[in-house]
Amino acid sequence: MNLVRRPGWAPVVLSYATFVLVGLSAGVAGVLIPAQIADYRIDEATIGITFFTTSAGYLAAGATAGALLHRVHVRMALVVGAVFYAAGAFAMAVRPSFAILVAVQLLVGYGTGILESILNVFLAELPDSTTLLNRLHAFFGVGALLGPLLAAWMLQYTSWTAVWLVLGVLCLPLAAGFLLAYPRRAPAAEHAGAERPRGVFLEAVRTRAVVLGSLFLIVYVGLEIGVGTWAFTYLVKEHGEPDVVAGYTVSGYWLGLTLGRFLISPLATRAGMSAASMATACLLGVTGASALLWAVPTASLATAGFVLLGFFLGPLFPTAMAVTPQLVPQRLMATAIGVMNGLSLLGGSFLPWLAGWMAQHVGIWTLLPFALTLSVVQLAVWRLLVARTPAPAIATPGG
């Protein structure tokens, strides 16, 4: 049973707008760090504490999203996420002490995690789920591209706190939209297992598909963020590219990722490919682009290679979310997506750190074999994930 059979256009548009906000939030963070360091008179290691509290909130959201959805259904679960996010944003907007700044990252992380998990669950149960989810995550990319521009422009005229004030204000109409546009009643599917949410969580984390899906997303996010974080350093140190050119190349990588989410799924639908086949083709593209970058390390090919790498990476995360309803029982679906979404952040924290450690102790050239290794691991885990599922059970990208 679908969570919502005929949602209309408003909930879907609100989903996309919410992911633009989440992308904006991610995009402004790096630009604001120098201003925060100067304001609080701290160093890079100290400001890094905020990354851990944000991650803790995000992981807590992944662990509790399923139970929250069972208790209060989609509409109110999204309101809860928006309230937590806005509370954290407004708390930072008043320039709290550094200890409180660290603490309120829990609110932002939890609110972001709830919004992401619930919207992934909501769209995963709709017709054309793979296309819808790819567009959803593409709009995250739109926000991530615009976020640094917004923050850099605002910092010319005001303080870093004003940026968070704007983000908090932008969240308020979304919360109102959730109340108006999403269904008021909870479908029966949302209540499956509601009387024993802890049991559902434990069953989900022991399920083979959830374990493999979480591992796949951990590796995926580690690869995506690891390359995005260290590509600039690689291009400058290995190829001697000017900072401006290297910066444009990294922007091209993120633009490629966003375009891949907008374009590949519709093209796969026209070709009659299943979601699993589309993801496999993208994984082969990721592996090929990584191998090309390593085997032919010239500056001109590096730019094209990074754009291609981003393009083929783009659909993988949303497609994994889209096939989850076909891989786990209905009663576990919401919790499974929440757990997978939450644990993916582990890859985004540890694997980019590992890439940086190797760059420091071995050399930045290790970024490309690092990317190639992770791409091969991704492909292997994906094949294990879908191997025991009959082909017809994996929906086509268009449905």
Side-chain angles (χ1 to χ4, degrees), residues 45 58 60 64 83 85 91 141 158 178 187 192 204 216 254 290 293-294 308 316 325 329 337 386:
Y58 198 89
T64 59
V83 167
Y85 179 90
T158 185
F178 297 148
F216 176 80
W254 291 112
S290 300
L293 279 165
W294 190 16
L308 279 176
L316 296 177
I337 287 181
V386 300

Coordinates of all heavy atoms in Angstrom, one line a residue, residues 45 58 60 64 83 85 91 141 158 178 187 192 204 216 254 290 293-294 308 316 325 329 337 386:
A45 N 40.7 22.9 14.4 CA 40.4 21.7 15.2 C 39.2 21.9 16.1 O 38.4 21.0 16.3 CB 41.6 21.2 15.9
Y58 N 22.2 13.9 13.2 CA 21.8 13.2 12.0 C 21.6 11.7 12.2 O 20.6 11.1 11.7 CB 22.9 13.5 10.9 CG 22.4 13.3 9.5 CD1 21.8 14.3 8.7 CD2 22.6 12.1 8.8 CE1 21.4 14.1 7.4 CE2 22.2 11.8 7.5 CZ 21.7 12.9 6.8 OH 21.3 12.7 5.5
A60 N 21.0 10.3 15.0 CA 19.8 10.1 15.9 C 18.5 10.2 15.0 O 17.6 9.4 15.3 CB 19.8 11.2 17.0
T64 N 15.6 7.2 14.6 CA 14.2 7.4 15.1 C 13.2 7.8 14.1 O 12.0 7.9 14.4 CB 14.3 8.6 16.2 OG1 14.8 9.8 15.6 CG2 15.2 8.2 17.3
V83 N 10.8 22.1 12.7 CA 10.9 22.9 14.0 C 12.3 22.7 14.6 O 12.9 23.7 15.1 CB 9.8 22.3 15.0 CG1 10.1 22.8 16.4 CG2 8.4 22.8 14.5
Y85 N 15.1 22.0 12.9 CA 16.0 22.8 12.1 C 15.9 24.3 12.3 O 17.0 24.9 12.5 CB 15.7 22.5 10.6 CG 16.7 23.2 9.7 CD1 17.9 22.7 9.3 CD2 16.3 24.5 9.2 CE1 18.7 23.3 8.4 CE2 17.2 25.2 8.4 CZ 18.4 24.6 8.0 OH 19.2 25.3 7.2
A91 N 18.9 29.8 16.9 CA 19.8 29.8 18.0 C 21.2 30.3 17.6 O 21.8 31.1 18.3 CB 19.9 28.4 18.7
G141 N 21.5 19.3 -4.8 CA 22.6 19.9 -5.5 C 22.5 21.3 -5.9 O 23.4 22.1 -5.9
T158 N 27.3 41.7 6.1 CA 26.8 41.4 7.4 C 27.6 40.2 8.0 O 28.6 39.8 7.4 CB 25.3 41.1 7.4 OG1 24.8 40.9 8.7 CG2 25.0 39.8 6.6
F178 N 3.9 22.1 4.9 CA 3.7 20.7 5.4 C 2.3 20.5 6.0 O 1.6 19.5 5.7 CB 4.8 20.3 6.4 CG 6.2 20.3 5.9 CD1 7.2 20.6 6.7 CD2 6.5 20.1 4.5 CE1 8.5 20.7 6.2 CE2 7.8 20.1 4.0 CZ 8.8 20.4 4.9
P187 N -2.0 6.8 6.6 CA -2.3 5.6 6.0 C -1.9 4.4 6.9 O -1.0 4.5 7.7 CB -1.5 5.6 4.7 CG -1.2 7.0 4.4 CD -1.1 7.6 5.7
A192 N 2.2 0.2 10.5 CA 2.7 -1.1 10.6 C 3.8 -1.2 11.5 O 4.8 -0.6 11.4 CB 3.1 -1.6 9.2
A204 N 15.0 -4.2 11.5 CA 15.5 -3.5 10.3 C 17.1 -3.6 10.3 O 17.6 -3.9 9.2 CB 15.1 -2.0 10.3
F216 N 26.4 0.3 1.2 CA 26.5 0.9 -0.1 C 26.5 2.4 0.0 O 27.3 3.1 -0.6 CB 25.3 0.4 -1.0 CG 25.3 1.1 -2.4 CD1 26.1 0.7 -3.4 CD2 24.4 2.2 -2.6 CE1 26.0 1.3 -4.7 CE2 24.4 2.8 -3.8 CZ 25.2 2.3 -4.9
W254 N 30.5 19.0 -9.1 CA 29.2 19.1 -8.4 C 28.0 19.3 -9.4 O 26.9 18.8 -9.2 CB 29.2 20.2 -7.3 CG 30.1 19.8 -6.2 CD1 31.2 20.4 -5.8 CD2 29.9 18.8 -5.2 NE1 31.8 19.8 -4.7 CE2 31.0 18.8 -4.3 CE3 28.9 17.8 -5.0 CZ2 31.1 17.9 -3.2 CZ3 29.0 16.9 -3.9 CH2 30.1 17.0 -3.1
S290 N 36.9 7.0 -12.9 CA 37.9 6.9 -11.9 C 39.2 6.3 -12.5 O 40.3 6.9 -12.3 CB 37.5 6.1 -10.7 OG 36.4 6.7 -10.0
L293 N 40.8 8.9 -14.9 CA 41.5 9.9 -14.2 C 42.9 9.4 -13.7 O 43.8 10.2 -13.8 CB 40.7 10.4 -13.1 CG 39.5 11.4 -13.4 CD1 38.6 11.5 -12.2 CD2 40.1 12.8 -13.7
W294 N 42.9 8.2 -13.3 CA 44.2 7.7 -12.8 C 45.2 7.3 -13.9 O 46.4 7.6 -13.8 CB 43.9 6.5 -11.9 CG 45.1 6.0 -11.1 CD1 46.3 6.7 -10.9 CD2 45.2 4.7 -10.4 NE1 47.1 5.9 -10.1 CE2 46.5 4.7 -9.8 CE3 44.4 3.6 -10.3 CZ2 47.0 3.6 -9.1 CZ3 44.9 2.5 -9.5 CH2 46.1 2.6 -8.9
L308 N 32.5 13.9 -15.5 CA 31.9 12.6 -15.7 C 31.7 11.8 -14.5 O 30.7 11.1 -14.3 CB 32.8 11.8 -16.7 CG 32.7 12.1 -18.2 CD1 33.7 11.3 -19.0 CD2 31.2 11.8 -18.7
L316 N 23.0 7.5 -7.9 CA 23.2 6.3 -7.1 C 22.5 6.4 -5.7 O 21.8 5.4 -5.3 CB 24.6 6.0 -6.9 CG 25.4 5.7 -8.2 CD1 26.9 5.5 -7.9 CD2 24.8 4.4 -8.9
P325 N 11.9 -0.1 -1.1 CA 10.6 -0.7 -0.8 C 10.4 -2.1 -1.4 O 9.6 -2.9 -1.0 CB 9.6 0.3 -1.4 CG 10.3 1.6 -1.4 CD 11.7 1.3 -1.6
P329 N 10.5 -5.7 3.8 CA 9.0 -5.8 4.0 C 8.5 -4.4 4.3 O 9.1 -3.5 4.8 CB 8.9 -6.6 5.3 CG 10.2 -7.4 5.3 CD 11.2 -6.6 4.7
I337 N 14.8 3.0 5.5 CA 15.3 4.2 4.8 C 15.9 5.2 5.8 O 17.0 5.8 5.5 CB 14.2 4.9 4.0 CG1 13.9 4.0 2.8 CG2 14.5 6.3 3.6 CD1 12.8 4.6 1.9
V386 N 21.2 -6.5 -4.8 CA 20.1 -6.8 -5.7 C 20.1 -8.3 -6.3 O 19.2 -8.7 -7.0 CB 20.0 -5.9 -6.9 CG1 19.8 -4.4 -6.4 CG2 21.2 -6.0 -7.8

